């Protein structure tokens, strides 16, 4: 196959019979085959790309810090619902019957964030992320990632829903939170 | 031919030298991806896995510390492990067994271990309950090595309440900063880090 035979092949030297010269070349095909087999194995068995990580800081539960109250109209509350859908409202769920908007994750969600951040004005804009029981870990990571992409500085991950929010979600988007 | 062989063996040498084998994991976890570019450290890391069925797995990177951690936990729970069992435990990069079943599991052969579906480490929603074993593992691993950083590796399909339990366990021990392990994804066009 890949053998290169350069020995012999003469015979134009006037009829003299010479002993045929033995080729000194070694057939390397099996060795190369084995080499590539090993390469393939090592490529597949190694982890070349190390996973990355995002940092998550949560507030200290043991310390009670007094923070400045935030104006409710600057707060966008995002509920992570089922079937990879997010629902968001502006202001409080309590008495003002806010409009619940539903978006998918990714581009739609990013646009909603950017639009609202512009409306409220960069520094005052606060996002509260409230995952419901129906949401998955991926949904949460996606939303946190969107915060990094849209460079939203003020956001909080809150795992408790108020009773008002629960009724709101039940009435408007049929989620039993 | 010779040139190709040379290149092939050069590549082979490179891959052999740079190889880092994938550790055998207790469960396959498919992580979500993010644009974050922070690499997960190799050393001094504690990994808490969250499988798609909500099972919790735990592991630390150093074998010596694994043994130390096991001894601490065993002493607290009143269980003794033989040197062989400890050695066996030190070889597991992560595990998801309740402590009561751990001894039995360690005495099984490799093939039998592979067959068993690990039930996951018990957690609870308050993070400090008597049955919460994750808190013991976290506490004792930090006792064995105080520099441990905490990485959470959750599956795409893991439900939020289970993640909340893990979060509560960590928060109950006043651990408020950790890393979420994610895959890498390209940021949208034109995006620049601050």
């Amino acid at each position: 196959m890949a053998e290169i035979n350069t020995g012999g092949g003469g015979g134009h030297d006037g009829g003299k019979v010479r002993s045929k010269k033995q080729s000194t070349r070694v057939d390397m095909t099996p060795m190369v085959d084995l080499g590539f087999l090993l390469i393939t194995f090592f490529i597949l068995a190694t982890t070349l790309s190390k996973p990355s990580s995002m940092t998550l800081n949560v507030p200290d539960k043991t310390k009670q810090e007094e923070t400045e109250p935030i104006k409710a109209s600057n707060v966008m509350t995002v509920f992570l619902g089922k079937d990879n859908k997010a629902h968001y409202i502006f202001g409080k769920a309590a008495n003002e019957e806010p409009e619940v908007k539903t978006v998918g994750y990714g581009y739609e969600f990013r646009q909603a964030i950017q639009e609202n951040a512009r409306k409220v004005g960069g520094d005052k804009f606060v996002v509260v992320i409230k995952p419901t029981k129906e949401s998955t870990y991926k949904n949460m990571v996606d939303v946190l990632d969107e915060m990094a992409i849209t460079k939203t500085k003020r956001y909080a991950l809150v795992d408790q829903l108020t009773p008002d929010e629960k009724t709101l979600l039940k009435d408007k988007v049929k989620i039993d939170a | 031919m010779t040139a190709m062989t040379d290149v092939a063996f050069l590549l082979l040498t490179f891959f052999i030298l740079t190889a880092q084998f994938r550790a055998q994991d207790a469960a396959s976890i498919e992580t979500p991806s993010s644009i974050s570019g922070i690499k997960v450290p190799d050393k001094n890391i504690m990994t808490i896995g969250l499988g798609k069925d909500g099972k919790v797995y735990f592991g630390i990177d150093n074998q010596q510390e694994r043994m130390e951690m096991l001894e601490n936990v065993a002493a607290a729970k009143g269980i003794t492990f033989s040197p062989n069992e400890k050695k066996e435990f030190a070889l597991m990069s992560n595990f998801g067994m309740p402590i009561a079943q751990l001894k039995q599991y360690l005495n099984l052969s490799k093939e039998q271990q592979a067959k068993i579906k690990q039930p996951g480490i018990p957690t609870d929603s308050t993070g400090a309950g008597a049955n919460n074993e994750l808190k013991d593992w976290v506490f004792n691993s930090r006792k064995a090595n105080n520099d441990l950083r905490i990485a959470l590796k959750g599956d795409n399909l893991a439900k939020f309440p289970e993640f909340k339990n893990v979060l509560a366990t960590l928060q109950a021990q006043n651990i408020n900063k950790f890393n979420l392990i994610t895959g890498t994804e390209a940021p949208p066009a034109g995006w620049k880090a601050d």
Side-chain angles (χ1 to χ4, degrees):
Chain A
M1 189 170 62
E3 197 172 8
I4 306 163
N5 201 344
T6 49
H12 292 290
D13 42 3
K16 255 187 193 170
V17 182
R18 285 187 183 171
S19 64
K20 209 179 171 195
K21 227 181 185 175
Q22 280 289 309
S23 166
T24 49
R25 297 281 176 137
V26 179
D27 183 8
M28 288 198 290
T29 321
M31 186 181 76
V32 177
D33 284 355
L34 190 70
F36 276 108
L37 186 78
L38 285 171
I39 288 184
T40 323
F41 169 72
F42 276 103
I43 288 181
L44 293 179
T46 45
T47 44
L48 273 184
S49 63
K50 273 211 281 174
S52 53
S53 72
M54 54 204 289
T55 39
L56 178 66
N57 294 319
V58 290
D60 195 330
K61 269 193 177 168
T62 54
K63 270 188 272 177
Q64 282 292 332
E65 267 175 61
E66 282 295 317
T67 48
E68 218 175 298
I70 299 166
K71 217 171 140 196
S73 58
N74 290 342
V75 180
M76 174 178 174
T77 310
V78 183
F79 303 99
L80 313 185
K82 58 184 168 193
D83 302 328
N84 292 323
K85 287 274 184 289
H87 314 280
Y88 67 88
I89 57 165
F90 256 92
K92 275 186 204 156
N95 34 38
E96 28 200 81
E97 284 286 312
E99 187 191 353
V100 182
K101 287 183 187 150
T102 304
V103 283
Y105 296 102
Y107 186 63
E108 249 177 278
F109 186 77
R110 192 175 309 158
Q111 269 196 324
I113 294 271
Q114 281 166 341
E115 212 171 276
N116 290 315
R118 217 175 298 132
K119 251 187 243 168
V120 174
D123 280 353
K124 280 180 279 172
F125 185 58
V126 178
V127 181
V128 176
I129 305 159
K130 297 202 173 187
T132 65
K133 269 188 285 183
E134 308 282 347
S135 66
T136 61
Y137 175 74
K138 179 181 166 47
N139 297 152
M140 190 198 74
V141 171
D142 279 349
V143 170
L144 290 176
D145 200 32
E146 288 302 331
M147 294 295 116
I149 291 173
T150 56
K151 295 180 181 162
T152 307
K153 291 284 175 300
R154 301 175 75 185
Y155 61 90
L157 185 70
V158 180
D159 52 16
Q160 252 119 25
L161 279 81
T162 62
D164 288 320
E165 285 166 346
K166 280 184 191 176
T167 28
L168 182 81
L169 286 179
K170 208 169 191 178
D171 291 349
K172 296 277 173 69
V173 283
K174 311 253 172 323
I175 291 177
D176 198 12
Chain B
M1 183 73 178
T2 323
M4 187 179 76
T5 318
D6 286 352
V7 173
F9 275 91
L10 187 77
L11 280 173
L12 181 60
T13 323
F14 169 75
F15 277 109
I16 289 180
L17 291 179
T18 57
Q20 265 182 338
F21 287 94
R22 257 178 227 162
Q24 190 70 46
D25 280 339
S28 69
I29 291 174
E30 278 176 43
T31 57
S33 55
S34 78
I35 59 154
S36 172
I38 309 164
K39 293 282 173 236
V40 185
D42 279 334
K43 278 181 185 155
N44 291 337
I45 187 138
M46 168 203 308
T47 316
I48 299 172
L50 186 62
K52 59 170 172 275
D53 38 15
K55 290 175 184 168
V56 176
Y57 303 92
F58 184 85
I60 54 176
D61 65 292
N62 188 309
Q63 296 203 354
Q64 200 58 43
E65 285 158 19
R66 279 180 205 158
M67 275 161 110
E68 213 174 303
M69 168 180 82
L70 182 68
E71 279 161 20
N72 290 341
V73 172
K77 294 271 171 191
I79 306 171
T80 43
F81 287 95
S82 72
N84 253 345
E85 287 161 355
K86 281 179 197 163
K87 219 181 272 170
E88 191 71 28
F89 180 79
L91 293 176
M92 291 199 293
S93 65
N94 57 7
F95 64 96
M97 296 299 275
I99 184 102
Q101 293 169 38
L102 193 60
K103 195 179 174 73
Q104 195 192 357
Y105 179 79
L106 290 173
N107 282 316
L108 296 174
S109 70
K110 280 268 172 294
E111 292 79 42
Q112 282 170 310
Q113 281 182 358
K115 266 185 219 155
I116 286 184
K117 280 222 159 140
Q118 302 201 22
I121 295 169
T123 55
D124 68 341
S125 55
T126 60
N131 291 326
N132 186 335
E133 285 176 14
L134 182 65
K135 77 170 193 302
D136 300 323
W137 290 110
V138 172
F139 178 80
N140 286 302
S141 62
R142 301 219 316 156
K143 210 164 146 190
N145 180 355
N146 207 16
D147 296 329
L148 279 181
R149 295 232 237 147
I150 295 150
L152 289 177
K153 190 179 181 189
D155 193 277
N156 277 330
L157 299 171
K159 288 277 179 211
F160 183 74
E162 281 109 16
F163 176 75
K164 199 171 136 184
N165 291 352
V166 175
L167 201 66
T169 308
L170 293 173
Q171 275 190 294
Q173 298 199 35
N174 214 356
I175 299 169
N176 295 310
K177 191 181 177 185
F178 30 82
N179 292 346
L180 305 178
I181 298 183
T182 59
T184 313
E185 128 188 329
W191 189 87
K192 274 195 202 93
D194 289 325

